[in-house]
Amino acid sequence: MQILRETQERLDFIPKWAVDYLAQALCLDGAQIQAVIDFYAFFYDSSRGKYRILFSDNVTDRMQGNTALLSRMLSKFSLTQGQVSGDGLVSIDTASCTGMCDQGPALLVNNYAITRLSSQRIDQICELIKSQTPLVEWPAEFFSVQDNIHRKDVLMTTEMANGQALKRAMELGPQGMLAEMKTSNFRGRGGAGFTTGVKWEACKNAPGQTRYVLCNADEGEPGTFKDRVLLTSFAERVFEGMTIAGYVIGASKGLVYLRAEYRFMLERLQAQLEARRKANLLGKDILGQQGFNFDIEIHMGAGAYVCGEETALIESLEGKPGRPRIRPPFPVTHGYLGQPTVVNNVETLAKVTLIAQNGGAWYKGLGTKLSTGTKLLSISGDCDKPGIYEYPFGVRISKVLEDCGARNTMAVQVGGAAGTCLARHEFGRKIAFEDVSTSGALMVFGSNRDMFEVARNFSHFFKHESCGFCTPCRVGTTLLCNILDKIAEGKGTGYEMNELSRLHQLLKTSSHCGLGQTAASPVFDTMQKFRPSYDRRLKQKDFEPAFDLDAALAPAREIMERDDADAHLENEL
Ligand code: SF4
């Protein structure tokens, strides 16, 4: 993956000769390399232009007007979406959420993010492309990404020198630190909420030669960007949390899997790792303890949401298409390269430092009984102050809405596209594993929003991101989109509504991984809670086929030179 990324950065795409060369040099089959290129959205085997523009197309980008800006840029180059200009200069397309929802609309140019797009900024970008100005000479403010932290709690307010939490963990010893983790009842912040101490213990006790700590920084859930902020302003905590995890389980290697959309962070993060090596916080005999060796590498993803699933992430790290594995066995026993592996989320690892520093009992006193500690929320949508908010678990949705300046809110999508859609009467519910569980995204929708269109946007996202491994998800997500598009065209009936319910059940019960299992949830939730947004589109009484079979047979009739009445379907039936 990293070789392909670097090849593409040099050549703009990965040509066939490069695949052949790499296959020979790496003793791999060319088809294996091609399969990897084909799987990832950000790898290209033909030129996509010297400047590759991808507009972020999350529902919040749409709310901020990305569609008009996309059209503006397309017309300036006389292109259609996805087309490469005849002179090979530029291509313009859309991508899934780029993690900039608090400062959108956003786009990526050659994988570097530009935020706060406006008509004026689009015009400037077009001029820079036309004059073939190298990216390094573009105005620096285009690439400025702000943290937008509006509420801090223990993670963001606790002062901690680099190495301080690690020293404390080393004083406790691996077993003592593990005991603190278990006392804290700390649950992973990636969404599933598994107890981190129990996960570490299972990995520590698993048979195996080598152990690994993986940091999942592939936050691709639409509406989430908290890992972006943590890796911008609290990366030392994340690296230190990884080192503590390595110390506890006996690993000597850690890998950060960084989503491709955060390419702009790579050099800075690598410089921070280098500084930690120089300070003996990474490397050999860390802080003078003989035999405690641990180092961290950063691997870039290449634009696949499914790689946020831990086994898909491991496949991707191993240089393969990121398809979720069949579990069990779980990564704690058979993970990266088949060895015992701990996979933790960025926020989880950052918070480990707090537990090392202040103890498990202290941490357990924060939040609620079943959800200890705090949670970072990425808030976007219809509110005055989108950005990052850290709250103790148990905070009510209504309080969050008040703090972020949301008014006249009709709905809140908690946990991204795969999460839960809450209507006004549910705003008294709490953010906690025992009530509304979330990996951190919270999108606010005002009373003027169309929840059918929100669900349709999410459904197209899932269709785009399905890895295609299992039939229910591969076919189900496409059927879901087809039906929603048909309803949007005013051609839906009660039949389509029943089909949506049936698909929801099918995807939930027979998909291989969480992506497919939750793909129809936004549709199901909005059908239950915002039914009028569907009903007003059901203009047809009688079922109308979405597919015109007779029209599809036209080429066959032409080939056969037969266009008599009997060659038409309606006459055959
Ligand atoms: Fe892939 Fe979807 Fe199946 Fe998951 S549910 S393995 S994303 S096809």
Side-chain angles (χ1 to χ4, degrees):
M1 289 273 295
Q2 305 315 299
I3 295 169
L4 290 178
R5 179 179 63 77
E6 286 174 18
T7 304
Q8 183 164 288
E9 284 191 0
R10 279 198 203 175
L11 304 175
D12 291 339
F13 68 102
I14 307 162
K16 173 80 173 62
W17 65 259
V19 174
D20 293 341
Y21 177 83
L22 290 173
Q24 202 174 19
L26 300 169
C27 300
L28 288 172
D29 194 306
Q32 281 176 279
I33 297 177
Q34 190 61 46
V36 173
I37 296 169
D38 293 345
F39 184 84
Y40 294 94
F42 288 0
F43 284 151
Y44 310 107
D45 58 6
S46 60
S47 175
R48 300 299 302 151
K50 187 173 173 188
Y51 297 90
R52 299 184 303 275
I53 302 286
L54 292 171
F55 278 77
S56 183
D57 199 24
N58 182 23
V59 69
T60 53
D61 293 289
R62 294 255 176 129
M63 287 156 66
Q64 291 160 332
N66 76 332
T67 311
L69 297 172
L70 168 66
S71 302
R72 188 181 184 94
M73 189 179 267
L74 286 169
S75 78
K76 292 234 174 232
F77 288 101
S78 304
L79 289 175
T80 54
Q81 191 179 324
Q83 196 187 355
V84 185
S85 61
D87 56 2
L89 182 65
V90 61
S91 64
I92 304 165
D93 209 335
T94 55
S96 299
C97 179
T98 55
M100 302 289 168
C101 317
D102 55 333
Q103 47 207 296
L107 61 72
L108 298 173
V109 50
N110 297 354
N111 288 11
Y112 287 87
I114 298 183
T115 60
R116 295 175 295 276
L117 294 175
S118 61
S119 304
Q120 190 194 10
R121 189 160 279 192
I122 289 292
D123 293 350
Q124 288 173 295
I125 293 170
C126 292
E127 287 311 311
L128 289 163
I129 293 173
K130 282 178 183 166
S131 60
Q132 303 199 33
T133 308
L135 278 194
V136 288
E137 293 172 27
W138 288 27
E141 76 261 21
F142 280 20
F143 300 98
S144 138
V145 177
Q146 290 162 5
D147 276 356
N148 292 329
I149 301 170
H150 296 296
R151 190 184 193 282
K152 295 179 175 181
D153 211 297
V154 286
L155 178 65
M156 295 186 167
T157 53
T158 304
E159 298 281 328
M160 212 183 286
N162 293 346
Q164 193 176 328
L166 179 59
K167 275 182 203 147
R168 180 74 191 117
M170 289 166 72
E171 283 160 19
L172 291 165
Q175 216 49 53
M177 181 62 209
L178 183 61
E180 293 296 337
M181 289 297 293
K182 289 172 77 178
T183 302
S184 71
N185 202 19
F186 177 63
R187 296 167 71 170
R189 299 306 198 242
F194 197 79
T195 311
T196 306
V198 173
K199 186 189 262 190
W200 287 12
E201 188 171 49
C203 184
K204 183 179 173 65
N205 294 337
Q209 299 295 314
T210 318
R211 273 154 238 284
Y212 295 96
V213 177
L214 306 185
C215 171
N216 185 346
D218 193 42
E219 62 169 356
E221 195 63 55
T224 189
F225 46 86
K226 67 186 174 62
D227 293 351
R228 182 198 84 211
V229 174
L230 286 174
L231 288 168
T232 301
S233 297
F234 298 88
E236 294 288 350
R237 300 275 184 93
V238 180
F239 295 148
E240 193 139 330
M242 290 179 76
T243 314
I244 294 171
Y247 176 69
V248 170
I249 68 167
S252 56
K253 183 152 187 176
L255 297 160
V256 178
Y257 188 95
L258 184 66
R259 72 182 303 219
E261 291 81 350
Y262 295 165
R263 170 67 183 84
F264 66 94
M265 295 181 185
L266 182 62
E267 282 78 14
R268 180 182 46 76
L269 292 174
Q270 281 172 333
Q272 282 176 286
L273 287 174
E274 195 49 41
R276 287 184 78 84
R277 284 182 200 111
K278 287 202 174 107
N280 195 214
L281 296 171
L282 286 174
K284 275 188 165 262
D285 301 331
I286 291 174
L287 292 174
Q289 183 162 318
Q290 283 257 290
F292 174 24
N293 307 325
F294 188 79
D295 212 332
I296 297 173
E297 270 178 33
I298 301 173
H299 279 229
M300 296 298 306
Y305 164 77
V306 71
C307 289
E309 197 278 344
E310 62 178 6
T311 60
L313 181 144
I314 291 170
E315 289 282 297
S316 185
L317 279 172
E318 291 178 358
K320 295 180 263 183
R323 295 203 176 90
R325 292 177 179 172
I326 291 168
R327 299 185 298 178
F330 293 96
V332 285
T333 57
H334 297 76
Y336 181 59
L337 304 176
Q339 299 300 313
T341 302
V342 152
V343 187
N344 282 141
N345 163 270
V346 170
E347 185 182 348
T348 307
L349 290 160
K351 285 180 171 163
V352 163
T353 57
L354 284 178
I355 298 167
Q357 182 66 25
N358 299 322
W362 169 82
Y363 199 82
K364 199 179 173 180
L366 307 169
T368 71
K369 194 170 174 217
L370 294 176
S371 310
T372 61
T374 62
K375 184 77 197 85
L376 262 63
L377 299 178
S378 316
I379 300 183
S380 60
D382 292 320
C383 61
D384 293 341
K385 292 180 286 177
I388 295 296
Y389 293 72
E390 185 187 7
Y391 286 104
F393 268 121
V395 64
R396 292 190 192 277
I397 302 287
S398 52
K399 167 72 176 145
V400 176
L401 291 174
E402 188 188 320
D403 289 354
C404 72
R407 284 180 299 277
N408 217 358
T409 303
M410 176 171 62
V412 174
Q413 181 76 21
V414 186
T420 315
C421 184
L422 301 176
R424 202 169 276 151
H425 67 277
E426 299 170 286
F427 292 172
R429 291 180 65 181
K430 295 173 179 173
I431 299 286
F433 290 109
E434 62 271 29
D435 192 355
V436 184
S437 178
T438 174
S439 57
L442 196 146
M443 286 182 263
V444 183
F445 299 102
S447 55
N448 58 332
R449 299 297 175 187
D450 182 345
M451 296 311 290
F452 169 84
E453 282 301 338
V454 172
R456 191 155 80 107
N457 177 283
F458 289 155
S459 298
H460 278 274
F461 163 77
F462 285 121
K463 175 186 162 190
H464 182 257
E465 297 297 337
S466 169
C467 80
F469 172 72
C470 65
T471 310
C473 173
R474 185 181 64 250
V475 178
T477 50
T478 299
L479 290 176
L480 204 62
C481 289
N482 290 351
I483 293 173
L484 290 170
D485 291 348
K486 189 178 171 188
I487 293 174
E489 287 166 20
K491 294 178 181 168
T493 61
Y495 173 83
E496 276 74 25
M497 296 301 283
N498 289 338
E499 277 299 285
L500 288 176
S501 299
R502 201 177 66 82
L503 275 170
H504 169 247
Q505 204 51 32
L506 186 135
L507 279 158
K508 198 166 114 181
T509 53
S510 37
S511 297
H512 173 58
C513 82
L515 187 153
Q517 287 156 12
T518 54
S521 300
V523 174
F524 184 73
D525 277 358
T526 49
M527 274 172 65
Q528 302 294 311
K529 297 172 187 175
F530 301 97
R531 182 68 184 225
S533 69
Y534 287 77
D535 285 346
R536 70 168 177 267
R537 291 176 160 92
L538 304 179
K539 299 204 175 105
Q540 301 286 326
K541 281 211 179 88
D542 300 323
F543 172 76
E544 191 182 309
F547 180 70
D548 186 346
L549 186 54
D550 193 57
L553 289 173
R557 285 196 295 267
E558 199 181 329
I559 292 166
M560 300 302 291
E561 295 181 352
R562 194 187 151 187
D563 199 22
D564 56 281
D566 284 347
H568 286 266
L569 197 68
E570 59 268 28
N571 298 317
E572 287 294 311
L573 294 173

